Amino acid sequence: MIAGARQPREDGPSPVPPSHQGCAIDSVRVQLPAQRGELRDRHEDGHHLHHLVWRLGPGVRVCSSAVLGGGIGPRAWILNAQVPGGYPRLDPDRHLAEIAASEGLTGPGAGLMTAADVAAYTTSHDGGVTATVTTGLGVRGWAAAPDVAAGTPHRPGTVNIVLTLPAALSDAALINAVATATEAKVQALLDAGLDCSGTPTDAVCVAAPEPGPDGGEPFAGPRSTWGARIARAVHTAVRAGARLS
């Protein structure tokens, strides 16, 4: 590890690290073959910000609600970028593409944004599943809430969940995995003593190998083999992040 880099908070808190001045990098190992994510930093308009990058390479597809590259399809990378509070830009997809280009990322990818401190990410592993979460709960509430005026601005998503697993999933199972991760997130927030289901703009990415002729695992609900692992990994990582935010 490069001197001065932050140790990931895995299954619980870690000591407060030194500054990331000098573009220090910390690797977040994922369970897909030959994959890794990197914690990077950058300076924009006087702000010192961080972002996480997963360089997935070929043979991986992602199901996500990402601002850039959302949906289901092959993705070569995932980017989770920190932006300042009161984010002023109206083109987040273009902004994410600019950050991706600065990292040398090519091909289709998925990009997330958050006002949370990305360097304070938390991770958890369960049976081959890795959950990496950035948690910021300054603007939180319940999913079913009274109507608000159309066009009311929200900050960029603050609870972003990126999941990697070594098992191929069917289309239905990928969508089921997103639902399972969301259920586990809410459970973790409640277990952390918070009266909310999340923030208005949370996002989830699930990365798994492309399925072969068998179509992939058909289920990812919380009582299926892979869904249970997803739920436990997300729950642990979100709960740790919620207690630290």
Side-chain angles (χ1 to χ4, degrees):
M1 181 178 298
I2 294 175
R6 177 187 297 256
Q7 291 276 9
R9 287 171 177 163
E10 184 174 329
D11 300 340
S14 64
V16 176
S19 169
H20 278 268
Q21 294 289 344
C23 295
I25 300 170
D26 186 18
S27 295
V28 182
R29 296 290 178 179
V30 299
Q31 298 298 318
L32 293 168
Q35 312 303 325
R36 76 176 198 174
E38 300 168 316
L39 178 65
R40 308 281 294 190
D41 66 353
R42 69 189 192 281
H43 291 83
E44 289 182 359
D45 300 323
H47 298 282
H48 185 200
L49 305 167
H50 298 89
H51 53 273
L52 282 165
V53 180
W54 287 257
R55 302 176 192 271
L56 302 175
V60 178
R61 65 176 186 163
V62 172
C63 177
S64 80
S65 57
V67 174
L68 174 68
I72 299 178
R75 300 290 184 267
W77 48 268
I78 299 172
L79 172 68
N80 185 13
Q82 178 186 358
V83 296
Y87 182 66
R89 292 185 60 160
L90 300 177
D91 58 346
D93 53 344
R94 181 175 179 179
H95 188 188
L96 286 163
E98 292 169 355
I99 299 171
S102 73
E103 289 288 349
L105 302 175
T106 59
L112 313 170
M113 279 188 170
T114 178
D117 179 7
V118 167
Y121 67 90
T122 53
T123 64
S124 180
H125 312 281
D126 193 297
V129 174
T130 299
T132 304
V133 178
T134 53
T135 309
L137 295 163
V139 180
R140 63 179 185 263
W142 296 102
D147 196 13
V148 295
T152 299
H154 294 297
R155 297 181 187 178
T158 51
V159 180
N160 284 343
I161 299 169
V162 176
L163 285 160
T164 61
L165 60 154
L169 302 179
S170 68
D171 286 359
L174 279 172
I175 296 170
N176 206 174
V178 171
T180 296
T182 302
E183 290 180 34
K185 176 196 72 175
V186 176
Q187 181 182 350
L189 294 174
L190 295 176
D191 287 348
L194 299 172
D195 56 346
C196 65
S197 58
T199 81
T201 44
D202 293 347
V204 180
C205 280
V206 180
E210 292 182 344
D214 63 354
E217 295 286 335
F219 306 112
R223 292 299 170 265
S224 67
T225 298
W226 289 104
R229 295 170 181 175
I230 287 169
R232 289 190 296 265
V234 169
H235 181 268
T236 299
V238 171
R239 184 176 58 183
R243 288 176 173 172
L244 292 166
S245 64

